[in-house]
Amino acid sequence: MNAAKLLEQIPLFSDMSSEDLARVAQHTQELVCEKGNFLFREGDKAEYLYVLVSGLAQMTAKGPEGQQTVIEILYPGDSFILAAVITGKRFLMSAEVVKSSRVLKIPGAELVGLIRHGGDFGLNMMATLSTQYRSMVRQVKNQRLRTTAQRVAAFLLDLAYDQGRGENCIILPHTKKMLAALLGMSQEGLSRTFTALREQGVTIDHKQVRIESIVKLRRFCGFSNKLDTSDRITPKE
């Protein structure tokens, strides 16, 4: 599939005119990346926008003692720190491929040119930036306002809504190691939390999680479908 066809599937570019789409496609590279590859590292100049077409990637950051933690998981259709690319800043996180992926690499200068040119791209860009910002706000709220058990419960309820609009049986999309890092805890801490959540009617068998009562778990962590569910942007078919 050529670059223009791939770009059409990405929400950020889906409403572009054929002329603008062709212009961006001329400068777009398609990368095939294996697990463990880094697209960029924390501190690199943000000269390119990376967009995940297929596979899975994670955004990570290092602490003062060199410890690395997962900040965000990226899915097909997601772009990598658009704000840094548009402003020409440095990346505050690293992007690591965790599952064989196809990625589009687009020069930031081309995107800035599109914004200056006008059209719907600017609105799409604002929508993407808004989604990324709201995701970070939710993370901060979870860290500040919820206990560890409540954070895990809210994560499970978000999954339940995403996988089946509130189904009681859900499948964990990541390994427990990745999930623990994403939620800011150790694997042992995550296991202890799942044990504690049995009192709230949550049971786990490998990657399958059963929630006895969605209503009870919502009350436990103060979960709101209107405020706490993720604003996921998915690629077009």
Side-chain angles (χ1 to χ4, degrees), residues 208-226:
Q208 183 169 306
V209 178
R210 180 170 181 79
I211 302 171
E212 183 180 299
S213 170
I214 293 289
V215 173
K216 179 180 178 180
L217 200 60
R218 279 181 186 160
R219 289 173 179 165
F220 169 70
C221 63
F223 186 89
S224 165
N225 284 348
K226 293 181 179 179

Side-chain angles (χ1 to χ4, degrees), residues 10-16 49 51 79 82 121 124-125 128 233:
I10 306 301
L12 179 60
F13 302 98
S14 60
D15 294 327
M16 288 174 61
L49 179 70
V51 181
S79 58
L82 177 60
F121 176 73
N124 285 357
M125 184 202 68
T128 299
I233 295 182

Side-chain angles (χ1 to χ4, degrees), residues 57-95:
Q58 63 184 12
M59 305 299 296
T60 63
K62 284 187 176 180
E65 298 179 1
Q67 71 275 26
Q68 185 169 288
T69 188
V70 177
I71 304 297
E72 186 178 7
I73 302 296
L74 298 181
Y75 303 91
D78 286 340
S79 58
F80 297 66
I81 319 184
L82 177 60
V85 177
I86 295 299
T87 57
K89 304 296 184 181
R90 295 188 180 275
F91 288 119
L92 299 179
M93 296 178 282
S94 300

Side-chain angles (χ1 to χ4, degrees), residues 112-136:
V112 172
L114 282 171
I115 295 170
R116 289 175 176 159
H117 178 65
D120 291 332
F121 176 73
L123 292 175
N124 285 357
M125 184 202 68
M126 290 176 64
T128 299
L129 288 171
S130 173
T131 298
Q132 293 174 350
Y133 172 75
R134 285 166 63 83
S135 176
M136 290 299 177

Side-chain angles (χ1 to χ4, degrees), residues 15-68:
D15 294 327
M16 288 174 61
S17 67
S18 57
E19 293 80 8
D20 285 342
L21 200 63
R23 172 184 165 184
V24 177
Q26 283 183 338
H27 301 276
T28 298
Q29 300 177 52
E30 183 183 353
L31 310 176
V32 177
C33 306
E34 298 302 323
K35 179 180 178 180
N37 289 167
F38 278 84
L39 296 171
F40 54 83
R41 293 183 183 272
E42 187 177 348
D44 287 350
K45 188 74 178 294
E47 297 176 328
Y48 295 91
L49 179 70
Y50 296 86
V51 181
L52 192 63
V53 177
S54 65
L56 198 67
Q58 63 184 12
M59 305 299 296
T60 63
K62 284 187 176 180
E65 298 179 1
Q67 71 275 26
Q68 185 169 288

